Amino acid sequence: MQTSNLMEQAKKRNKFWKRHQTPFIVGMLSVAVINFAVFWLYVNFSSILMAFESPGVDGFTLINFENAFKEFTMADSVLPNALVNTLKCFIVALCITTPASLFCSYFLFKKIALYKFFRIVFFLPSIINVVVMTCLFSYMASVNPEGILTIIVQGILGLDEPPILFGDSRYAMNTIILYNIWTGLGVNIILFSGAMARIPEDVIEYGRLEGLGFTRELLQVVAPMIWPTISTVLTLAIVGLFNSSGPILFFTKGAFDTYTISYWIFDQVYHRGVYEYASAVGLIFTFIGLPIALLAKWGLGKVGTDVEY
């Protein structure tokens, strides 16, 4: 009797769920769909249309694109320098920050002395508010009083006076890139460390018995086994090719030759109210960056293979 009652209750619950699951699923998915439609589809579609508009011109026009290409040839334009700075940030992120994150993750994976402490140290800049981090870094790079970074740079370069790191075009962009390296390690280390933690201990033990050193173990065992994660990190870095930047607004506001493409677009929209021209420039770099990202994704897929374990 009790079993039949339980079965009857289970049937009622199933009927209730089947009757209400469709409204529940629709309600949950509608939030994501509306968010995508309003804040991505509508915004991006509007910005694309805006690139073909210009104040005082009726209908669609290509004048914004013409002006953008002309500006790259103008001597007083900041766009060429912004492109160079953007590529600098991208190359550093791809060729320095990502490999450094992989090496740091590997040594944390090997449980070196105080590895838990270093894990916190590496990840801390990623969880602290960016305003706090920029204030802290600005203090480290200050001249009066002299910050630790200023003292180090002065000693390395052998300067008689402390350099003004954020007030001199010779140092400003490189200092921002150094900040990007400092704060860019944390998230990648978490991703790489999580992937390394899933590697079976038997595989590591077998390599140890074969006499593999740290370098060979990293390159021949660990890296191939976490290649999907490495590929994802590299793909995300390449996708953000022309978005590579730093907290320019907090440090220099574009002064001292520190414009990047993303900050230039922000400056055009926020400070000058030039929406159409900024949209056209953004669309140009989108058309350039999209095939590069797709080609990089295809190439990374050919380099390594997905490993299941």
Side-chain angles (χ1 to χ4, degrees):
M1 186 66 179
Q2 185 176 3
T3 303
S4 61
N5 289 336
L6 292 175
M7 293 179 63
E8 188 66 27
Q9 292 177 5
K11 290 180 179 179
K12 290 181 179 180
R13 283 196 298 268
N14 289 336
K15 290 180 179 179
F16 178 82
W17 166 245
K18 289 180 180 179
R19 189 168 58 251
H20 294 84
Q21 65 177 348
T22 300
F24 174 77
I25 294 174
V26 171
M28 294 299 295
L29 291 179
S30 63
V31 177
V33 172
I34 293 173
N35 180 73
F36 173 78
V38 175
F39 296 104
W40 193 92
L41 191 62
Y42 171 75
V43 171
N44 284 278
F45 185 72
S46 297
S47 65
I48 291 174
L49 293 180
M50 197 177 294
F52 297 93
E53 300 173 355
S54 181
V57 178
D58 295 331
F60 289 122
T61 178
L62 297 177
I63 191 171
N64 295 318
F65 297 93
E66 295 174 2
N67 292 336
F69 287 112
K70 288 180 181 178
E71 187 162 354
F72 274 100
T73 63
M74 296 170 58
D76 58 344
S77 173
V78 299
L79 259 182
N81 181 254
L83 178 59
V84 171
N85 289 337
T86 301
L87 294 177
K88 282 183 180 179
C89 293
F90 167 73
I91 293 171
V92 168
L94 191 67
C95 301
I96 296 180
T97 305
T98 301
S101 302
L102 181 62
F103 281 110
C104 291
S105 301
Y106 174 69
F107 285 109
L108 294 176
F109 170 69
K110 299 302 291 184
K111 294 182 172 56
I112 60 173
L114 302 176
Y115 75 96
K116 291 184 179 180
F117 169 75
F118 287 114
R119 183 178 296 167
I120 296 173
V121 170
F122 284 131
F123 191 64
L124 201 59
S126 300
I127 60 177
I128 296 179
N129 185 277
V130 65
V131 177
V132 176
M133 289 303 302
T134 52
C135 290
L136 176 61
F137 194 80
S138 297
Y139 182 79
M140 293 168 58
S142 64
V143 176
N144 189 17
E146 291 185 21
I148 182 64
L149 184 61
T150 304
I151 296 173
I152 292 174
V153 173
Q154 183 181 5
I156 293 175
L157 299 180
L159 303 175
D160 296 330
E161 298 181 356
I164 306 175
L165 297 180
F166 285 121
D168 192 324
S169 58
R170 294 175 297 175
Y171 311 115
M173 194 63 216
N174 292 331
T175 306
I176 293 174
I177 291 175
L178 181 61
Y179 172 87
N180 290 346
I181 296 174
W182 180 42
T183 57
L185 295 174
V187 174
N188 288 348
I189 287 178
I190 292 296
L191 293 175
F192 291 144
S193 297
M196 291 178 187
R198 295 176 54 244
I199 299 177
E201 184 61 30
D202 295 344
V203 177
I204 303 299
E205 183 65 26
Y206 178 79
R208 191 178 299 117
L209 293 174
E210 290 293 318
L212 294 182
F214 284 162
T215 303
R216 290 184 61 193
E217 183 182 74
L218 172 61
L219 298 180
Q220 297 180 5
V221 178
V222 174
M225 296 197 73
I226 67 167
W227 178 251
T229 302
I230 297 176
S231 176
T232 299
V233 172
L234 293 176
T235 302
L236 290 175
I238 295 171
V239 168
L241 167 60
F242 295 114
N243 289 328
S244 301
S245 185
I248 310 295
L249 179 64
F250 291 105
F251 284 138
T252 61
K253 294 181 175 62
F256 309 108
D257 296 332
T258 57
Y259 267 96
T260 60
I261 295 298
S262 58
Y263 183 78
W264 182 88
I265 293 176
F266 166 80
D267 183 61
Q268 293 292 312
V269 172
Y270 188 78
H271 293 123
R272 308 188 186 192
V274 185
Y275 294 87
E276 297 83 5
Y277 186 41
S279 298
V281 172
L283 195 58
I284 290 172
F285 285 108
T286 299
F287 281 127
I288 297 174
L290 182 60
I292 295 175
L294 294 176
L295 182 62
K297 174 62 177 175
W298 175 82
L300 290 170
K302 294 294 184 181
V303 171
T305 57
D306 291 344
V307 180
E308 295 183 3
Y309 50 88

